[in-house]
Every structure is written in C-alpha cells, then in structure tokens.
Amino acid sequence: MLNSRIILLVEDNSDDATLTMRALKKNNVANEVIVAEDGAQALEYLFGAGAAGRVAPEVVLLDLKLPKVDGLEVLRQIRADERTKCLPVVILTSSSEERDMVEGYRLGANSYVRKPVEFVEFSHAVGQLGLYWLLLNQVPPKRA
Amino acid sequence: MSFHRSPDPAAPPAISVEDYAKATRNIPEDFAGEKAELEATQRAVVNILEDFTAEKAHLEEAQRAALNILEDFTADRAWFEDAQRAMLNILDDFGQERVRVEAANRDLSEAFESLRQAKEAVEAANRELDAFAYSVAHDLRAPLRAMDGFSMALLEDCREKLDGDASEYLMRIRAASQRMAQLIDDLLQLSRVTRGEMRRSTVDLSGAARAIAQELRESQPTRRAEFIIEDDLVAEGDVSLLQQVLRNLLENAWKFTAKHPAARIEFGATERDGVRAFFVRDDGAGFDMAYADKLFGVFQRLHSAGDFQGTGIGLATVQRIVHRHGGRVWAEGAPERGATFYFALAQAPRARVVQQGREDRC
C-alpha cells in the first residue's frame, strides 16, 4: 500500500538525483521515485497526454534551477491546476537566497529545504522529508 | 484815363453819357451792397477774432497747464531716469545673476546626469553580482555535494575493499569539499552584506548579543565562559546586518577563547575620540598588533586552520557592514592576552532615516 505512493523528483543534476535516491533508500523509504530532468518533463508527467492514467505523486521534490522551465514556474502551474492544487511540493535546492525562499512560499510551496553539501546531513534531511510526507502527513482521499 | 483819348477805330463803341451817369448812380448803390457785405464780413471777422481771443485764452491756459505739466514732468523725469538707471542696474545684476544661475544649473544637471549614470552603472554591477552570487549558490555547491556524497558512498558500500590509506584519502576528499562549501557560504554571506537593501530602524544590540551568547553556551555546554553584556545598548541601522556584526564578533571571541580553561567575553559601549563605539572583548588567543591591519581583509587569517577553524571572511563581513552604516572598525590585542574589536556607527540624522524602496515581503 505504502509503495504505491510515488515521489516525483524534479532534478536536472544526475549526481544529486542519485544521491537523493540513495538517501531515501538509506532511510528505508522504498517508494518508487520518478525523476523528471527538467521542469518541462515534470509538467508533462503531471499534465501531459496520458497524465490521467499515471499514478499521481504523493509529494514533489522540486529543484529550483532547472533547464527549460524553472522550478518556481513548475510550482506556479501545479498550484494553478485544480488537479494538483493541493499536491505537497517540497522545494529541495542548493539556493539559500532569501528571494527564492520568499517566492517559493509565496507560490504555495509546503516546505523549503536547502540541500546540505555534507552527505550525512543531506541523507538525514532527505530521509526526514520522505518519512514526513509519505508516512506522517495525511492528505484527503484522491478522487477516482 | 483811356476814354479821354481820341477814338480808337479798334475800340468798342463809345458809352453814352447817359449810360455813364446811370452807371455812376449805380455805383453808390453797388457800393452800399458791397459795404453791407464788407460789414457782414467784418462782423464775422470780429466774431472770429472774438472767438479766437477766447480760444487764445483757452490755449494759453492749456499752454500754462502744459508748461506746469512739463515742469512737473521734468521733476518726474529726473526721478524716472533715476529709477530707470536703478532698474537697469538691477536688470544688469539680474542678467549676471541669471548667467551664474544658468551656469550653476548646467553644472547641477551635469552632476545629476553623471550621478544617474553612476547609479545605473552601480545597479548594473549589482545585478551582475547578484546573478553571479546566485550562480555560485546553485552551481558551485552541487559538485561538492557529489564529491562528498560519493566518497561517503564508497566508504559505506566498499569498506571491506578499502585499506586504511584509501579510507583516509576519502575522508580528506570529504573534509575538503565541506571546507569549500563553507568558503562558498561565507563568500555568499559577504556579498549579501553589500547587495541587500538597508532597512534602518532602532536595533536592540544588548538583546541580540544576549541571544547569540545563549546559543553559543548551548552549543558547547561544558565550556566555562562568562558573558558580560551591557544593558540597553541600541543603535540605528539594519537589524539583520547589525545582528550579523554581533554574531561574527561574538563567535570569534567564543572561538579564540576555546583553548583557555575559562573565558570572559564582554559586549559594551565606550567613547573614543568623542565618538560612541561598541566593543566585543575577550581574554583569548589575541593577536600581534603588528598584523592588526590584516585582520579585516578577506581570506586573511592570523591563525593556522589547525589552531582555529575559519575561512577568514567573518571580520571582512563585519567591516563591510560597519562601512555600509558609515562607521569604522578597529581592533586592539596582544598574543594570549585577548582581543577587543570596536565598531562605531555614523550618527545618522533622523531625517535621513527614511525607508526608501522598502520591499514588502511576506
């Protein structure tokens, strides 16, 4: 049941994507992770042709600096669409710039987490996110 | 008379005596008519003369009046000429003044123009710096995360295949990536200090210092350290920037007293050359005054990384913040006898404390 809940990881850096998935595994979060390598891919997964047949993610881990469509724009479109209006979105980024944080929250991000360089901290942060958003957090039942 | 001469054959027919007598009788009659006419004319002339006399009297009166006016006018004219001269002088002065004002205006417009250009250049430079810092924040940290993360993965997943040296090298790679990440963070902090908008208000320095001291004590609860913080110290300035100053100075004091069995760290205010200065004093490792000028330079360190951790950016940040507040920083110290860092802020007149271009943030 738990494993049917998937994570959408929007990350253009394959090192970061690999490390994030390793961190999730290390923290016993065995859920499937769909990786979108840029903002356009993320939007395609959520809203593109056949989106209705795909499993909606439980949480989106969203990087900000992305090719094609940047993270804040992805977030804006997620919040603008009735289907994904309430979808939890966690900004997971290198930036600790205040304006990114302010803009992220203003657009309706549920959390803002800065990726630590140190892997133990990084792993801890990602593990906490996985546990919180996939286990602890309660969401209303999905429409059929 | 011609009619007494002998008859001229070419002359008209001679007039008869009767005709002549008749004519002579008519003369007085004609003359009487003539006379009446003459008298009428004379009367008319007399009338005219009488009218003229009256007219003349009028005219003379008018002339006298005119003369009076002219006399008055002469006096007036003198006055008027004086006034005119004065006016011309004024106009002259005004003309010169105007030339001066116009020149001053031109100077002013030129100054404004160059100011505007300078402002634009600064804004452009700031935008570039902003983009650069943004890129640094995002892009430079990612490879470091990979270096640290995959070194860690090797240590965890392949431990049995790695000998002692290999593990040690991987640890060094990790330490170096983390140190570089710290350098990047500190550099970002330094650049943020000059980039952000200044939002002035009255800042409770004593309160901020107490909060930071509390955090430091909690970070190493076993250390014996005494904080002595003067009450009610306030300053005009940007809250977060001034808090940063206190944080960097107090953290420094905390760090450089770590090797002494007990530490005493003070925050207070004093007067130097008639200027109010705040200070953070410690009784830690101190420094040689010969190197005092290097203290505030970026990446300048007076202690080896082995003795005290640090990137050499903290004091440079302090100096930048204080300079942005129109003030200055200086330090006094002696090796193993502690250090005192002073900062004085410009006494900004209240009127200038207008919050300009303040951003609304949620």
Side-chain angles (χ1 to χ4, degrees):
Chain A
M1 181 60 193
L2 182 69
N3 288 350
S4 68
R5 299 176 152 199
I6 69 155
I7 298 169
L8 177 59
L9 174 64
V10 192
E11 175 62 77
D12 64 316
N13 183 323
S14 68
D15 288 340
D16 274 356
T18 306
L19 289 173
T20 304
M21 287 194 278
R22 183 180 166 84
L24 287 169
K25 210 170 85 189
K26 285 267 160 195
N27 286 278
N28 301 315
V29 179
N31 303 58
E32 189 188 348
V33 178
I34 306 284
V35 180
E37 288 174 11
D38 57 51
Q41 272 190 25
L43 293 172
E44 174 62 26
Y45 183 87
L46 292 168
F47 307 120
R54 284 193 280 271
V55 183
E58 205 64 23
V59 62
V60 178
L61 302 182
L62 181 65
D63 193 11
L64 287 185
K65 205 179 173 211
L66 294 166
K68 296 179 186 170
V69 182
D70 75 20
L72 290 174
E73 176 58 22
V74 171
L75 174 58
R76 202 189 59 72
Q77 293 199 27
I78 285 174
R79 287 293 171 259
D81 195 295
E82 202 54 44
R83 290 168 289 175
T84 52
K85 209 174 185 170
C86 302
L87 174 62
V89 174
V90 175
I91 292 175
L92 187 61
T93 177
S94 289
S95 164
S96 62
E97 289 289 296
E98 193 185 335
R99 60 175 167 165
D100 280 344
M101 223 175 286
V102 169
E103 191 62 8
Y105 278 117
R106 202 182 67 76
L107 288 173
N110 298 80
S111 292
Y112 189 105
V113 177
R114 191 194 188 197
K115 294 177 203 164
V117 162
E118 210 270 323
F119 184 74
V120 177
E121 284 176 47
F122 180 79
S123 174
H124 183 70
V126 171
Q128 295 267 310
L129 281 178
L131 292 176
Y132 178 79
W133 289 106
L134 295 168
L135 278 180
L136 281 175
N137 190 50
Q138 301 267 315
V139 289
K142 281 175 194 148
R143 288 168 304 157
Chain B
M1 302 208 52
S2 60
F3 48 85
H4 288 293
R5 286 191 185 170
S6 54
D8 184 343
I15 298 164
S16 69
V17 174
E18 262 173 73
D19 285 345
Y20 183 76
K22 208 155 85 188
T24 306
R25 275 195 306 275
N26 283 345
I27 287 172
E29 274 169 34
D30 287 350
F31 182 72
E34 255 346 271
K35 189 186 167 193
E37 257 175 63
L38 208 61
E39 278 170 359
T41 305
Q42 202 174 13
R43 268 197 304 281
V45 169
V46 167
N47 283 345
I48 288 169
L49 277 175
E50 265 170 26
D51 285 355
F52 178 74
T53 308
E55 209 51 46
K56 192 183 162 190
H58 274 302
L59 208 61
E60 279 171 358
E61 218 171 291
Q63 200 174 18
R64 269 196 301 281
L67 282 171
N68 286 342
I69 288 169
L70 276 175
E71 260 168 38
D72 287 357
F73 179 73
T74 309
D76 276 349
R77 189 176 155 177
W79 176 87
F80 183 69
E81 278 172 359
D82 279 350
Q84 200 174 21
R85 264 195 302 281
M87 192 81 96
L88 282 171
N89 285 342
I90 288 169
L91 280 174
D92 213 30
D93 286 357
F94 179 73
Q96 284 169 13
E97 200 56 40
R98 193 177 150 174
V99 168
R100 269 198 292 275
V101 167
E102 277 172 359
N105 261 353
R106 263 196 307 280
D107 287 351
L108 212 57
S109 323
E110 277 164 20
F112 269 130
E113 178 56 22
S114 63
L115 202 62
R116 197 186 58 76
Q117 281 172 4
K119 196 180 162 218
E120 257 173 31
V122 167
E123 278 170 355
N126 268 347
R127 272 195 302 277
E128 249 172 60
L129 188 66
D130 222 34
F132 174 73
Y134 193 76
S135 165
V136 166
H138 275 87
D139 302 339
L140 256 59
R141 285 170 56 91
L144 296 173
R145 200 159 41 245
M147 282 157 69
D148 188 80
F150 290 115
S151 300
M152 187 72 190
L154 272 178
L155 284 168
E156 284 175 351
D157 295 359
C158 312
R159 190 166 282 279
E160 66 280 1
K161 294 184 206 157
L162 299 170
D163 62 17
D165 276 351
S167 297
E168 157 79 15
Y169 296 156
L170 284 170
M171 292 306 287
R172 281 178 181 261
I173 291 173
R174 292 196 60 208
S177 351
Q178 285 161 33
R179 183 169 163 70
M180 182 147 176
Q182 189 60 53
L183 276 167
I184 290 170
D185 283 352
D186 287 1
L187 269 177
L188 280 177
Q189 187 205 79
L190 183 66
S191 79
R192 231 174 257 141
V193 156
T194 32
R195 281 188 291 144
E197 193 97 23
M198 288 260 289
R199 281 167 270 182
R200 285 182 180 271
S201 63
T202 302
V203 182
D204 171 13
L205 296 179
S206 298
R210 259 188 220 102
I212 296 161
Q214 183 62 25
E215 272 177 47
L216 290 171
R217 265 197 295 260
E218 281 166 7
S219 71
Q220 289 171 286
T222 53
R223 274 190 58 177
R224 280 178 58 210
E226 185 191 7
F227 281 96
I228 299 151
I229 293 164
E230 202 176 311
D231 286 327
D232 304 324
L233 296 181
V234 293
E236 293 294 324
D238 183 283
V239 180
S240 64
L241 289 180
L242 291 183
Q243 280 173 350
Q244 185 76 56
V245 166
L246 288 176
R247 176 172 294 281
N248 287 11
L249 291 179
L250 288 168
E251 280 179 359
N252 250 17
W254 182 256
K255 180 164 72 182
F256 288 105
T257 50
K259 294 192 174 167
H260 289 191
R264 178 191 156 93
I265 297 168
E266 270 181 85
F267 171 58
T270 182
E271 192 121 323
R272 277 297 172 89
D273 309 323
V275 176
R276 182 175 158 87
F278 301 100
F279 66 86
V280 172
R281 178 176 294 138
D282 68 63
D283 55 359
F287 63 90
D288 187 337
M289 281 299 276
Y291 306 116
D293 59 327
K294 290 194 168 179
L295 276 171
F296 297 99
V298 182
F299 295 129
Q300 293 283 354
R301 302 205 67 226
L302 297 187
H303 300 273
S304 75
D307 284 342
F308 295 100
Q309 288 283 312
T311 52
I313 295 174
L315 287 177
T317 305
V318 166
Q319 177 169 298
R320 277 205 192 179
I321 293 173
V322 171
H323 282 177
R324 261 200 102 177
H325 283 79
R328 64 186 196 97
V329 285
W330 67 99
E332 290 166 1
E336 290 311 315
R337 288 173 55 196
T340 307
F341 288 87
Y342 296 91
F343 64 98
L345 305 174
Q347 316 281 315
R350 287 262 171 181
R352 277 179 52 201
V353 187
V354 176
Q355 295 178 337
Q356 286 178 324
R358 184 176 176 160
E359 284 174 49
D360 283 329
R361 302 211 156 146
C362 44

